Amino acid sequence: MAMIWKFMRVAKYSKTALSPKVKVRGIPTHSRHSSSKSVPSDFGANTPCSSTVELLGKAYPQDDYSNVTEKILSKVGKNLHNKKHHPLWLIKEQVKDHFYKQYIGRRGTPLFSVYDGLSPVVTVQQNFDSLLIPQTHASRRKEDNYYLNRDHMLRAHTSAHQWDLIHSGLDAFLAVGDVYRRDTIDNTHYPVFHQMEGVRLFSCHELFSNIKDGEGLQLFEQGHRTAHKQECHTMEAVRLVEFNLKQVLTKLMTHIFGDGLQVRWVDCYFPFTHPSFEMEINFQGEWMEVLGCGVMEQQLVNSAGAQDKIGWAFGLGLERLAMILYNIPDIRLFWSEDERFLKQFIVPHIWQKIKFQPLSRYPPLINDISFWLPSETYSKNDFYDLARTIGGDLIEKVVLVDEFTHPKTKKVSHCYRIIYRHPERTLTQDEVHRIHQAIEESAVRELGVEGRF
């Protein structure tokens, strides 16, 4: 959910690695109540830029904001959340099944619509402006996102569809899809992951109908904004929306993880919603954050044409839930085509318990790389994105292990430790050496660093 997205991770990789006329197949679909081997290393970081990118049947002219790489474009259209018996599909179907059965409309049909085929290519207006994210906000920077050009991007959150779906007249929906963010490299972060967005709007009657003496209660007032409510909301309306939201999500998590699950809420302050929370669950003795949620920004709701309603929204990551529920140790495994991984999730029904059996743990190969930084504009995520582009899923983790400032020249040196480990086979030292050398050469050429190899 965009309004509770923690914009903490900064990346910068301005050299686009696209070959001429890049084409990635994929057909965006729109649905209502939908039922719906190894990755080779890539040495193409210095592939010449082209003037256009062809993606999902459309051509997008490149400009100074274009920074999406071939590695990322190759993931578009995979739609793992719609691949039957994939663990992300199982999680999605479990959440859908719960909402379909728990929340029934007046005509006996599911209250929530589900959209799991919306195109991941969105406009900047959809991804930011419609969500009231200021023009100067750090989250808009190309260092954080994958831009096709200044006007189009790969969505950074499923919240990019909030305004359009509300504007179409929907009061309750779930939007599911792949999202793209430039990020660090470790076993829990990947530049492509999958989100589910939930939105529910209430009219005055819907919110207060079951409240004693609720006839005199109102959704809105002429007040002032606080950390607990927006200036237009009454405190009664906010408290009821907050209560409903927490009740809905607690039931969902209990249904997925079982009775006896401990849940706690952490109050948060975000500039786009009041109040807002993060949900943490205690699973196998450890508290883990699983989602964020909050009362929707009323200006967004009003601009989408639902001026007489108030609502909540939540956002959860499917990978996060699947890794906890199935005890999957490495986020790269979700992209595996190894039958030893995939066959474990072929089950007769979506609620069958699965105990994931880890694949053989292949030994890691570790190499360091050191270089002098080119300028103050450099960010360590410059290097992370470059390493991901070249090494792909052969890289398990990249860690900044040493930072040194020369006492005389004041030049800064970084030393990164790269851990190579294939999730499905043993890597050879010769294979890793070639990848590592390609990273060194590309770092000098693309990032302007001075190697200390």
Side-chain angles (χ1 to χ4, degrees):
M1 190 180 69
M3 52 190 144
I4 57 170
W5 176 14
K6 290 183 176 178
F7 304 114
M8 297 175 62
R9 306 189 184 279
V10 178
K12 186 175 186 298
Y13 181 47
S14 59
K15 306 286 187 176
T16 309
L18 295 178
S19 59
K21 294 279 185 179
V22 172
K23 294 184 179 181
V24 179
R25 293 185 178 180
I27 302 175
T29 59
H30 302 268
S31 59
R32 183 178 177 87
H33 302 315
S34 59
S35 60
S36 24
K37 281 212 179 185
S38 69
V39 181
S41 58
D42 182 357
F43 296 169
N46 63 337
T47 305
C49 295
S50 67
S51 59
T52 62
V53 180
E54 294 187 17
L55 186 60
L56 301 177
K58 295 184 179 179
Y60 299 91
Q62 294 195 74
D63 57 26
D64 61 325
Y65 249 61
S66 305
N67 67 349
V68 65
T69 65
E70 278 193 74
K71 180 66 68 175
I72 297 302
L73 288 175
S74 70
K75 306 294 185 182
V76 179
K78 297 293 187 180
N79 297 323
L80 299 183
H81 60 289
N82 288 335
K83 185 177 179 180
K84 193 171 184 180
H85 297 302
H86 192 279
L88 298 180
W89 175 84
L90 287 174
I91 290 291
K92 181 198 73 171
E93 292 299 314
Q94 288 179 20
V95 177
K96 280 174 51 180
D97 185 67
H98 173 77
F99 273 87
Y100 280 178
K101 292 177 179 177
Q102 285 289 314
Y103 307 101
I104 305 300
R106 288 176 293 180
R107 298 180 179 178
T109 57
L111 180 66
F112 282 81
S113 299
V114 175
Y115 296 84
D116 58 8
L118 300 171
S119 174
V121 178
V122 297
T123 64
V124 173
Q125 195 279 335
Q126 288 175 299
N127 201 79
F128 295 121
D129 296 335
S130 70
L131 300 168
L132 312 179
I133 297 175
Q135 289 284 341
T136 57
H137 199 278
S139 64
R140 290 176 176 260
R141 294 181 299 188
K142 58 190 290 188
E143 289 85 349
D144 295 315
N145 304 283
Y146 287 105
Y147 284 92
L148 296 174
N149 52 42
R150 282 186 172 269
D151 298 320
H152 295 86
M153 62 187 298
L154 297 177
R155 62 188 169 208
H157 40 232
T158 46
S159 303
H161 305 292
Q162 268 188 17
W163 192 95
D164 292 321
L165 293 174
I166 294 173
H167 188 66
S168 71
L170 296 176
D171 289 341
F173 58 83
L174 303 174
V176 193
D178 43 332
V179 299
Y180 300 77
R181 299 182 195 170
R182 305 180 75 185
D183 217 332
T184 189
I185 301 176
D186 58 35
N187 68 327
T188 61
H189 292 91
Y190 201 78
V192 189
F193 57 102
H194 297 75
Q195 272 191 344
M196 175 176 285
E197 189 88 5
V199 170
R200 175 77 193 276
L201 301 180
F202 301 88
S203 66
C204 186
H205 172 74
E206 289 171 326
L207 193 61
F208 298 125
S209 61
N210 295 324
I211 303 300
K212 184 179 180 181
D213 300 324
E215 296 82 3
L217 298 177
Q218 300 294 323
L219 297 178
F220 308 110
E221 66 176 3
Q222 294 300 317
H224 61 280
R225 192 180 188 98
T226 71
H228 304 288
K229 72 177 188 67
Q230 299 171 44
E231 63 269 25
C232 57
H233 292 159
T234 64
M235 186 60 73
E236 294 83 3
V238 169
R239 291 307 183 204
L240 283 173
V241 171
E242 174 188 334
F243 175 78
N244 181 268
L245 171 60
K246 289 183 176 180
Q247 188 179 49
V248 166
L249 294 175
T250 300
K251 286 182 178 179
L252 172 63
M253 291 300 139
T254 300
H255 200 60
I256 291 177
F257 292 99
D259 293 332
L261 180 74
Q262 290 180 281
V263 173
R264 71 183 182 189
W265 298 93
V266 180
D267 291 345
C268 300
Y269 173 82
F270 298 95
F272 314 118
T273 182
H274 294 268
S276 53
F277 318 93
E278 291 174 351
M279 172 189 261
E280 296 180 350
I281 65 171
N282 192 303
F283 192 74
Q284 297 180 347
E286 181 180 356
W287 285 101
M288 291 169 283
E289 178 189 336
V290 292
L291 58 83
C293 58
V295 178
M296 291 193 72
E297 179 65 46
Q298 195 60 39
Q299 186 179 341
L300 185 161
V301 176
N302 291 347
S303 68
Q307 296 90 337
D308 57 343
K309 296 178 180 179
I310 183 176
W312 51 248
F314 70 80
L316 58 84
L318 298 186
E319 279 88 348
R320 172 64 61 85
L321 293 184
M323 291 180 79
I324 296 173
L325 182 61
Y326 303 130
N327 198 27
I328 297 174
D330 193 325
I331 197 170
R332 294 177 300 165
L333 285 169
F334 291 106
W335 296 90
S336 174
E337 296 181 2
D338 191 326
E339 285 300 316
R340 294 174 301 164
F341 174 76
L342 296 174
K343 70 181 181 181
Q344 297 188 46
F345 301 95
I346 301 177
V347 290
H349 59 85
I350 61 175
W351 292 106
Q352 179 169 318
K353 291 190 179 299
I354 300 172
K355 186 176 181 180
F356 174 67
Q357 298 297 321
L359 309 183
S360 299
R361 193 62 168 167
Y362 298 100
L365 293 176
I366 300 173
N367 286 265
D368 291 352
I369 179 172
S370 299
F371 47 75
W372 297 105
L373 306 190
S375 69
E376 294 180 357
T377 61
Y378 175 88
S379 166
K380 60 183 179 181
N381 276 12
D382 291 356
F383 182 68
Y384 294 157
D385 207 26
L386 182 143
R388 178 88 73 180
T389 297
I390 297 173
D393 290 350
L394 303 185
I395 297 179
E396 180 180 83
K397 191 173 186 179
V398 179
V399 183
L400 177 62
V401 294
D402 184 63
E403 185 171 354
F404 168 73
T405 301
H406 195 283
K408 292 184 178 180
T409 65
K410 304 303 180 184
K411 292 178 65 175
V412 178
S413 171
H414 278 187
C415 178
Y416 294 89
R417 178 154 297 156
I418 304 179
I419 301 174
Y420 298 89
R421 191 198 317 251
H422 199 294
E424 300 165 5
R425 63 179 175 85
T426 299
L427 292 172
T428 66
Q429 187 63 258
D430 183 63
E431 182 179 11
V432 168
H433 174 73
R434 289 187 289 108
I435 298 170
H436 198 74
Q437 186 175 28
I439 292 175
E440 291 175 341
E441 294 172 355
S442 291
V444 173
R445 181 174 56 250
E446 304 293 341
L447 302 182
V449 305
E450 181 183 342
R452 302 179 68 190
F453 313 138

